């Protein structure tokens, strides 16, 4: 998956954001990289939970193609691969923070309603 060019992106900025972070797995990768700076594949997989290796790999590749996540491969035996956010990826922090705040508020509303 190659990085999209401007003409391929939706006119709506909200839709553009959703195009680039389209799955819950990608959002959870961003969450974990904001919390931990750099993580290895298996650390991400354990932290995220019920995600298959294939799905996590596909989502990490997409985020890398979009320039949001950086993949660093170290020439060691066994090879070590670490993921971190690019400078562009770090600009998504307010989006993830807003989702956190909204989710907490929603759960608070449900608690108040006794649900």
């Amino acid at each position: 998956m190659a990085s999209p060019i401007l003409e391929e992106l939706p006119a709506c900025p909200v839709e553009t954001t959703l195009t680039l972070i389209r799955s819950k797995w990608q959002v959870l990768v961003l969450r974990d990289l904001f919390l931990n700076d750099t993580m290895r594949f298996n650390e991400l997989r354990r932290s995220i939970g019920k995600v298959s290796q294939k799905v996590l790999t596909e989502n990490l590749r997409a985020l890398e193609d979009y320039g949001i996540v950086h993949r660093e491969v170290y020439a060691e035996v066994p090879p070590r691969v670490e993921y971190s956010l690019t400078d562009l990826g770090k600009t998504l922090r307010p989006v993830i923070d807003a989702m956190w705040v909204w989710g907490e508020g929603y759960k608070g509303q449900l608690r108040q309603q006794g649900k």
Side-chain angles (χ1 to χ4, degrees):
M1 179 182 303
S3 183
I5 58 173
L6 186 58
E7 292 79 24
E8 295 173 347
L9 292 172
C12 172
V14 172
E15 190 177 352
T16 296
T17 304
L18 288 173
T19 297
L20 298 177
I21 52 171
R22 68 181 92 208
S23 79
K24 76 175 185 178
W25 306 119
Q26 291 173 343
V27 174
L28 294 175
V29 164
L30 294 172
R31 174 205 64 191
D32 287 352
L33 291 177
F34 280 123
L35 293 172
N36 299 291
D37 291 326
T38 300
M39 295 181 79
R40 295 176 74 171
F41 183 87
N42 285 328
E43 290 174 320
L44 277 166
R45 190 166 174 206
R46 278 190 302 273
S47 180
I48 290 171
K50 298 179 181 181
V51 61
S52 70
Q53 180 174 336
K54 178 182 182 242
V55 169
L56 182 55
T57 298
E58 289 170 354
N59 282 276
L60 283 166
R61 284 185 183 150
L63 290 169
E64 185 180 3
D65 287 345
Y66 297 151
I68 294 170
V69 166
H70 173 72
R71 179 177 183 261
E72 183 74 32
V73 180
Y74 295 91
E76 300 173 352
V77 178
R80 177 171 50 115
V81 179
E82 292 182 343
Y83 296 90
S84 60
L85 294 169
T86 62
D87 288 340
L88 177 62
K90 291 175 184 174
T91 65
L92 284 164
R93 179 102 201 206
V95 175
I96 302 302
D97 288 346
M99 292 173 75
W100 180 283
V101 169
W102 190 89
E104 282 293 313
Y106 180 76
K107 290 191 296 185
Q109 288 290 324
L110 291 178
R111 279 187 216 101
Q112 287 178 355
Q113 295 171 8
K115 292 184 180 183

